[in-house]
Amino acid sequence: MPIIQSVERALQILDLFNEQATELKITDISKLMGLSKSTLHSLLKTLQLHGYIDQNPENGKYRLGMKLVERGHFVVGSIDIRQKAKGWLTELSQRTGQTTHLGILDGREGVYIEKIEGKLAAIAYSRIGRRLPVHATAIGKVLIAWLGEAELNALLEGYQYTTFTPSTLGSREALLDALIKTREQGYALDSEENEQGVRCVAVPVWNHESRVIAALSLSTLTSRVDDAELANFREQLQQAGLQLSRALGYPA
C-alpha cells in the first residue's frame, strides 16, 4: 500500500517531542525534518486545528496538544490487563506444568485476579479473588517494592505481620530488607513464608508510565521443584512479565 506523505510527515512531527524536547520552535522542527517552514506551517496548523499540536502563546513554540492525552486515556482505559496477561500465564503454565497467577494491590493486600492451573500442580489454596498478605507472599512483595517512600510508609503504618509459617517475615525491618532485594533482583521469592511446602516467585508488570500495576507469579511445591528448576521457571516468568509490560506500553 502507498504511504501518504503528508500523514507520515505529521506523525514524524509528533514523534519529535519527548522529555528533553517538550517545546520546539518552527526553525528547530524545520532542521530536524529537513522541510521548509512554509511546508511545516501547513502541517502544524492542521495538527493544531485538531488539537494534536498546541502553541505556547508566551514564546510561540509548539508543543503536543491535549487531544493526545484524551486519545491516550481511551487506549489505556480499553486495556483489560486480565485478558492481556492470560496468554502469557497460560503459555507459561503449559510449559512448566505449574500454576500461574496475576495479582494486583488492593489496599494493604494483594489479590489474585487471574489464575491458570498447571497440570503438575497440587496446590489448591489459590483462587481468583483470594487476598494475599504483602509481607508473606512473592506477589505481595513485588506489588509494594516499587512504591514511593511516602506511599509505602502509609501502607506499612500499623501493619500486622501475621505469622503463617516459621519462615514468615515478622517485622518491618525484615520486610524492608526483602523489598530492597526485590528491587535489586527484579523479582521476589516466597520460600514457604505463606504456606509450608510451597515456594513462589513473582515479577512486576509495568505500565506505560513505568509504574508497577500488577505482578505475575508461579507457584511450586518444594518436594517437586528444586532450586535449579525454580531458577529456570523464574527466568521464563521474567520474560513473560517483560513482554506483558511492553504490551501495556512499558518503554523498556
Side-chain angles (χ1 to χ4, degrees):
M1 296 293 290
I3 299 296
I4 300 174
Q5 189 179 58
S6 59
V7 175
E8 184 179 30
R9 286 175 173 176
L11 295 173
Q12 288 172 341
I13 290 173
L14 297 178
D15 286 339
L16 293 177
F17 296 88
N18 54 43
E19 290 179 352
Q20 287 72 44
T22 57
E23 293 187 339
L24 293 169
K25 295 185 294 185
I26 192 168
T27 52
D28 297 327
I29 299 173
S30 176
K31 289 177 183 178
L32 292 168
M33 294 284 293
L35 297 173
S36 67
K37 291 183 182 179
S38 59
T39 300
L40 280 176
H41 190 265
S42 296
L43 290 168
L44 289 167
K45 287 304 177 185
T46 302
L47 288 169
Q48 189 174 2
L49 177 65
H50 292 277
Y52 290 95
I53 284 286
D54 187 21
Q55 194 169 16
N56 188 333
E58 295 181 3
N59 56 26
K61 291 182 178 180
Y62 291 92
R63 58 194 178 191
L64 295 178
M66 293 303 295
K67 181 61 72 70
L68 288 167
V69 177
E70 177 187 328
R71 298 293 107 181
H73 278 302
F74 290 157
V75 174
V76 173
S78 69
I79 293 173
D80 182 343
I81 190 171
R82 282 185 63 189
Q83 193 60 39
K84 283 280 187 181
K86 195 166 186 177
W88 279 282
L89 292 174
T90 301
E91 182 180 349
L92 189 59
S93 185
Q94 289 174 345
R95 285 204 311 264
T96 64
Q98 309 303 313
T99 297
T100 55
H101 300 93
L102 172 68
I104 60 172
L105 187 64
D106 184 31
R108 294 187 172 192
E109 298 175 299
V111 58
Y112 289 138
I113 61 171
E114 188 57 88
K115 171 189 175 180
I116 304 297
E117 193 78 39
K119 62 181 182 295
L120 300 180
I123 302 169
Y125 71 90
S126 69
R127 57 175 173 78
I128 295 175
R130 186 186 184 211
R131 305 189 75 80
L132 312 162
V134 294
H135 72 291
T137 58
I139 273 189
K141 293 173 195 172
V142 164
L143 290 172
I144 67 172
W146 283 271
L147 291 178
E149 184 178 359
E151 196 173 1
L152 180 61
N153 286 336
L155 186 147
L156 297 181
E157 182 68 31
Y159 185 84
Q160 298 299 309
Y161 295 86
T162 304
T163 299
F164 300 100
T165 75
S167 299
T168 302
L169 302 181
S171 68
R172 181 189 181 101
E173 292 71 24
L175 177 58
L176 291 177
D177 286 344
L179 297 184
I180 291 172
K181 190 172 183 180
T182 297
R183 290 192 294 272
E184 290 174 346
Q185 297 177 149
Y187 65 89
L189 287 173
D190 155 17
S191 297
E192 301 185 80
E193 296 164 38
N194 188 47
E195 197 86 12
Q196 284 194 297
V198 176
R199 287 196 300 180
C200 301
V201 59
V203 300
V205 176
W206 305 83
N207 73 354
H208 65 291
E209 298 176 326
S210 297
R211 183 170 56 88
V212 175
I213 57 170
L216 300 181
S217 79
L218 183 146
S219 303
T220 69
L221 293 178
T222 56
S223 59
R224 296 187 181 182
V225 175
D226 60 20
D227 290 346
E229 193 170 17
L230 183 63
N232 177 267
F233 292 164
R234 184 252 304 161
E235 291 175 0
Q236 295 183 58
L237 187 67
Q238 286 180 293
Q239 281 298 311
L242 182 57
Q243 290 168 2
L244 174 57
S245 296
R246 286 173 175 164
L248 295 170
Y250 180 52

